[in-house]
Each structure stands twice: as structure tokens, then as C-alpha cells.
Amino acid sequence: MAIDEKAVERLLLQAEIADFLYREADLLDQRRYTEWLDLLADDYEYSVPLRMNVKFDETDEREQTRAGSEICWFDEGKDTVSLRVDQLMTGVHWAEEPVSRVSHLVTNVRVESVQPPEVEVSCRFLVYRNRVADETDFLVGRRTDRLRRVDGGWQVCRRQLLLDQSVLLAKNLSIFV
């Protein structure tokens, strides 16, 4: 039986990407934000559009707001993300005192396209947060990442999250989703 080398390469790439995303999630869960920032490219773009309740025939046009031109939960670059990390690391962030306990789950990882040195990846996520005694949040949705191979590793250069909630029930978004 002949080995399909392209299929093997694709499986190895898929496993490498999934491992990268799992390690990234662990860094966030462990509040190792400085190490996490190193995984973001200098031209990193991060957006979390608002989800809208629309009629069936309007889903393509209006189901979510558009980054860059409409209001979003987040529409920022690495500089702003770095400032958020700096603020969290002061230890006097009102929404993170006491700190939240967070678990990022990443699943259904698929490599959608490969254009070296970048790959487009889709996945589903679930972020669980518990803080104080009884504040619990679940953030669920799908994510599209553009990763770039740099010096034998990967960096995230673009990330778009689509939350499955049209109304955010969490008191704040002080954690990185």
C-alpha cells in the first residue's frame, strides 16, 4: 500500500497547529500573559463582532457586525492587547480582583487553507470563567485564526471570534477569550 505523503504532511500540520492552539490556551489559563504575547505577531489583529438576531434570509449580510467599520466587542491590534495585559499584571484591575479561574477549551481544529508561511485555521471554543464564589460565565463560539510560521514556530497574526450569544451575559470581558 502506497503512502500518500501529502496526506501525511497535512495530518502532521493539523497536529502541529492543534498543539500550538492548546499550548496557547494553557498560557492564558495559567495567566502567563507575557509568554502568550510572544505568540502574537506584531501586526496581530483581533476582532469579536456583535452577533445579531436576524431573519433567515439576512444571515449573510447582517448576522454579525463588521470589524473596522461597525461596533464590535473587540477590534484591536497587539498594542491594545499589550496594554490590557499590562493593566492585568498591575494586580489592581477591579474586574480581576480576586482573579478569575479560567479554562479555555479548543476543539474541532481544522486547517482551512495553506499559503506559506501562513495557514488559515478554524476551530470551536468554550471559555469557562468562575470568580468570587458564584460568578460563572460560559463563552462559546467559533474562531478563525491566521497563523504565520516564524523561526520554526507559529504566531497568530489575525483572530476573529464569533460568540454564539447575541447578548453577552458576563459582567465584563476582562479575560482574553
Side-chain angles (χ1 to χ4, degrees), residues 72-92:
C72 294
W73 292 113
F74 293 100
D75 188 6
E76 60 192 10
K78 186 173 182 178
D79 291 345
T80 304
V81 173
S82 295
L83 289 173
R84 292 173 55 207
V85 165
D86 290 346
Q87 186 182 32
L88 285 170
M89 297 305 284
T90 63
V92 291

Side-chain angles (χ1 to χ4, degrees), residues 39-168:
L39 300 181
L40 308 181
D42 289 339
D43 60 346
Y44 176 69
E45 298 173 11
Y46 176 65
S47 64
V48 184
L50 301 179
R51 298 299 295 270
M52 314 295 274
N53 294 316
V54 297
K55 294 179 182 176
F56 179 80
D57 60 349
E58 297 177 336
T59 55
D60 289 342
E61 295 174 19
R62 299 190 53 236
E63 189 174 23
Q64 65 197 45
T65 59
R66 299 186 193 323
S69 62
E70 297 177 304
I71 192 165
C72 294
W73 292 113
F74 293 100
D75 188 6
E76 60 192 10
K78 186 173 182 178
D79 291 345
T80 304
V81 173
S82 295
L83 289 173
R84 292 173 55 207
V85 165
D86 290 346
Q87 186 182 32
L88 285 170
M89 297 305 284
T90 63
V92 291
H93 192 287
W94 70 269
E96 285 300 314
E97 186 62 35
V99 295
S100 298
R101 291 164 293 279
V102 180
S103 288
H104 289 77
L105 305 179
V106 177
T107 186
N108 297 8
V109 176
R110 290 188 320 204
V111 175
E112 299 290 348
S113 68
V114 178
Q115 295 178 344
E118 296 182 349
V119 296
E120 186 94 13
V121 179
S122 67
C123 66
R124 303 291 286 184
F125 67 88
L126 185 150
V127 178
Y128 168 83
R129 172 173 62 177
N130 177 265
R131 65 181 301 273
V132 193
D134 58 357
E135 292 181 22
T136 299
D137 299 307
F138 289 95
L139 301 167
V140 180
R142 64 186 144 111
R143 194 171 83 191
T144 303
D145 292 333
R146 178 164 288 281
L147 307 179
R148 183 180 301 138
R149 188 177 289 283
V150 177
D151 297 330
W154 292 99
Q155 286 189 322
V156 183
C157 51
R158 190 181 72 211
R159 170 163 289 160
Q160 182 184 45
L161 272 72
L162 290 176
L163 295 169
D164 285 342
Q165 298 103 324
S166 62
V167 175
L168 194 62

